Amino acid sequence: MKAVIIAGGKGTRLGLSDIPKPMVPVCGKPLLEHQLLLLKTHGITEVIFLTGYLSEKIEDYFQDGAAWGMQLSYIKEEKALGTGGAVLQLLGKIDERFLVLYGDVVMDFDITSFIGFDAQEDSVASLIVHPNDHPYDSDLVERDQDRITRFISKPHPDGLLYENLVNAAVYIFSPRIFDYIPQGVASDFGKDVFPKVISDGGLLRAYLNAEYIKDLGTPDRLSKVEKDLSSGKIARWNLKNKRPAIFLDRDGVINEEVDNLSDITKFKLLPGVSSAIKKINQSDFLAIVITNQPAVAKGFLTVSELEDIHKLLQTELGKERAFVNHIYYCPHHPDSGFEGEVKALKTNCNCRKPQTGMIDQAVAQYNIDLKSSYFIGDTTTDMRTAENAGIPGILVETGYAGEDGKYDARAHLKVENLEAAIECILTQSKKENDHIENAV
Ligand SMILES: [Zn+2]
């Protein structure tokens, strides 16, 4: 597969005046060079730069790419027509699917895995989407499973409830994308091109992602990125490397326990939860919600109403710059006999806790290092789930506080609330890392 890098940006906000933004040095190397090295690791050696502002700075540095063992070429845009216009210059020059990166984004991701996802279906485009810590002013996507159904550009409509899924600006395009880019006028993928694909019934697929992909906006962010790069965090978050997770039960841990919560107006985050989850986000741990929602099988609420509650959860966390990487829920229930129940969901599944089906799914999807992971819950069902998964279970004294009496399951630790649980985990994990560093 060939890669295309959009590299026409100015670096005004970074205070750059003599080089284009993608040439900004990050730990001593231009950002674009980091991208090329990543591409090469995944066997991509043919790269086309779409340049504009100070194009010669890029061409002088990389030339034909021979020094990197790559074949590089350049298309300089004379008149800036947005990201759409830049890509449209490839019309007639490329006749197979191609990867598109933005030259001002810091990234380390498993490109091979993304290409594998893209190959599953013949879409117009595959897009990497991820939660971030400022969803309220980001361009969001809505989806039905993998299929993207809507783009919500900033500024958002008032009172919007959203899933925290942001367009990460990493794409694989079919050449059919050119049909949707207007000729001769400026266009933007998120605002113009993708919405047109959707309204024409074209398929755009969302690839959910927890790897390090961050726009390099301001000097502040640059120094943070350099810190993350030199500490190895950016590489550690690559899907090829196993990452630990903190699995979180939902009701009674994140939000107030309400028996069979089905009314969205009764959803309320517990105090201190956002800042606690934010601490997970800043660590190497993934934050993964694992929740039984038998109320769906019982007919108390629909899947769509449940997903609205999950949007509210993510919107509320998002306001405080916190996010969960994924919410897995079990909609099933084994016992029949409720009026209005959904027969198809009345089944003995393997996802209902204390079974580990949802954890297994998360482990496979995010390449989780189970032996360094934890489960935080408020019930004996949660503690039994942790036992079944072979990981420490931490019981919190919110919600049922372990008084549900369902299983004879012991907690590894019992603490006041989510905040205290996360504090314990992060302190413990820091100690272990220090220990490993000292041993080396
Ligand atoms: Zn289930």
Side-chain angles (χ1 to χ4, degrees):
M1 187 176 277
K2 285 180 192 163
V4 170
I5 304 181
I6 302 174
K10 296 181 183 175
T12 320
R13 281 202 297 164
L14 285 174
L16 306 169
S17 57
D18 56 345
I19 51 169
K21 192 174 171 193
M23 289 300 284
V24 64
V26 178
C27 295
K29 231 183 261 170
L31 179 50
L32 278 180
E33 192 172 350
H34 290 282
Q35 292 190 347
L36 289 183
L37 295 172
L38 174 68
L39 290 167
K40 202 181 166 195
T41 310
H42 291 270
I44 297 178
T45 54
E46 275 189 73
V47 180
I48 304 168
F49 287 109
L50 303 178
T51 60
Y53 178 70
L54 295 178
S55 175
E56 63 280 7
K57 297 284 179 180
I58 300 174
E59 295 185 44
D60 287 351
Y61 188 87
F62 293 107
Q63 311 222 1
D64 64 357
W68 286 265
M70 302 179 81
Q71 296 149 265
L72 308 179
S73 58
Y74 305 84
I75 301 176
K76 186 181 174 186
E77 199 178 24
E78 297 305 332
K79 187 181 167 208
L81 291 177
T83 49
V87 167
L88 189 59
Q89 299 175 101
L90 295 162
L91 177 63
K93 295 190 173 78
I94 206 160
D95 57 5
E96 55 193 1
R97 297 182 83 84
F98 57 101
L99 175 71
V100 175
L101 309 178
Y102 286 40
D104 55 358
V105 176
V106 180
M107 59 181 76
D108 189 344
F109 70 103
D110 185 352
I111 298 176
T112 305
S113 167
F114 183 40
I115 293 174
F117 169 84
D118 176 69
Q120 291 167 356
E121 278 187 67
D122 184 22
S123 65
V124 177
S126 294
L127 282 70
I128 293 189
V129 297
H130 59 187
N132 75 9
D133 65 1
H134 54 101
Y136 46 80
D137 65 359
S138 296
D139 292 332
L140 301 163
V141 303
E142 276 185 2
R143 66 183 173 114
D144 178 5
Q145 310 287 341
D146 286 345
R147 187 186 192 107
I148 298 177
T149 53
R150 183 184 173 200
F151 280 80
I152 307 166
S153 296
K154 57 196 176 185
H156 302 159
D158 280 348
L160 176 77
L161 296 185
Y162 53 79
E163 185 177 19
N164 186 341
L165 276 185
V166 176
N167 177 2
V170 177
Y171 314 128
I172 294 175
F173 286 154
S174 149
R176 279 181 282 146
I177 194 75
F178 300 128
D179 301 344
Y180 299 95
I181 306 175
Q183 303 235 7
V185 292
S187 63
D188 175 87
F189 282 105
K191 287 190 173 58
D192 311 305
V193 181
F194 295 146
K196 189 163 186 318
V197 176
I198 291 172
S199 66
D200 282 12
L203 177 62
L204 296 177
R205 293 178 70 223
Y207 177 72
L208 271 58
N209 191 279
E211 297 167 288
Y212 199 106
I213 303 175
K214 282 186 187 167
D215 167 41
L216 198 60
T218 54
D220 256 20
R221 242 189 263 181
L222 176 57
S223 69
K224 174 119 199 348
V225 160
E226 290 198 308
K227 206 176 127 219
D228 291 343
L229 186 68
S230 49
S231 73
K233 185 186 217 173
I234 296 182
R236 283 199 302 278
W237 286 19
N238 187 302
L239 184 64
K240 283 187 295 183
N241 302 316
K242 283 191 183 297
R243 262 176 87 178
I246 297 178
F247 296 104
L248 306 163
D249 174 43
R250 194 192 82 178
D251 302 311
V253 175
I254 293 175
N255 52 281
E256 280 178 10
E257 170 61 44
V258 177
D259 191 34
N260 282 315
L261 175 67
S262 57
D263 175 358
I264 194 167
T265 63
K266 295 202 172 118
F267 176 91
K268 200 165 172 239
L269 283 184
L270 288 165
V273 159
S274 299
S275 64
I277 291 180
K278 196 172 161 189
K279 282 184 191 150
I280 305 180
N281 303 149
Q282 289 163 344
S283 76
D284 277 349
F285 286 93
L286 295 161
I288 308 263
V289 177
I290 301 284
T291 177
N292 284 352
Q293 292 301 325
V296 180
K298 292 174 187 170
F300 297 164
L301 83 170
T302 62
V303 164
S304 144
E305 286 166 336
L306 175 65
E307 289 182 348
D308 280 346
I309 289 176
H310 290 164
K311 284 181 183 172
L312 177 59
L313 187 162
Q314 295 177 76
T315 306
E316 291 289 314
L317 289 179
K319 283 182 196 161
E320 308 291 330
R321 311 199 61 148
F323 59 86
V324 291
N325 294 95
H326 205 114
I327 299 175
Y328 294 92
Y329 62 84
C330 165
H332 308 112
H333 192 255
D335 310 325
S336 294
F338 291 84
E339 203 176 320
E341 68 187 14
V342 182
K343 290 270 184 283
L345 297 174
K346 285 292 183 175
T347 162
N348 276 305
C349 60
N350 66 5
C351 47
R352 181 170 162 82
K353 293 183 288 186
Q355 296 177 94
T356 59
M358 290 187 277
I359 293 181
D360 300 341
Q361 213 186 325
V363 166
Q365 186 167 0
Y366 290 100
N367 195 17
I368 288 168
D369 177 17
L370 204 49
K371 69 178 188 324
S372 309
S373 299
Y374 296 83
F375 197 107
I376 303 175
D378 68 319
T379 63
T380 58
T381 302
D382 292 323
M383 295 308 104
R384 176 56 60 84
T385 310
E387 280 178 9
N388 289 344
I391 59 178
I394 301 181
L395 186 71
V396 289
E397 289 167 349
T398 48
Y400 281 104
E403 302 295 325
D404 54 306
K406 272 199 182 159
Y407 295 93
D408 178 24
R410 244 187 309 172
H412 177 77
L413 196 70
K414 191 173 178 183
V415 296
E416 194 185 343
N417 54 26
L418 183 62
E419 215 169 359
I422 287 166
E423 196 63 49
C424 287
I425 293 171
L426 296 182
T427 311
Q428 175 69 21
S429 126
K430 188 176 178 309
K431 265 191 219 153
E432 279 166 15
N433 286 337
D434 289 350
H435 180 73
I436 292 164
E437 271 164 32
N438 291 338
V440 173

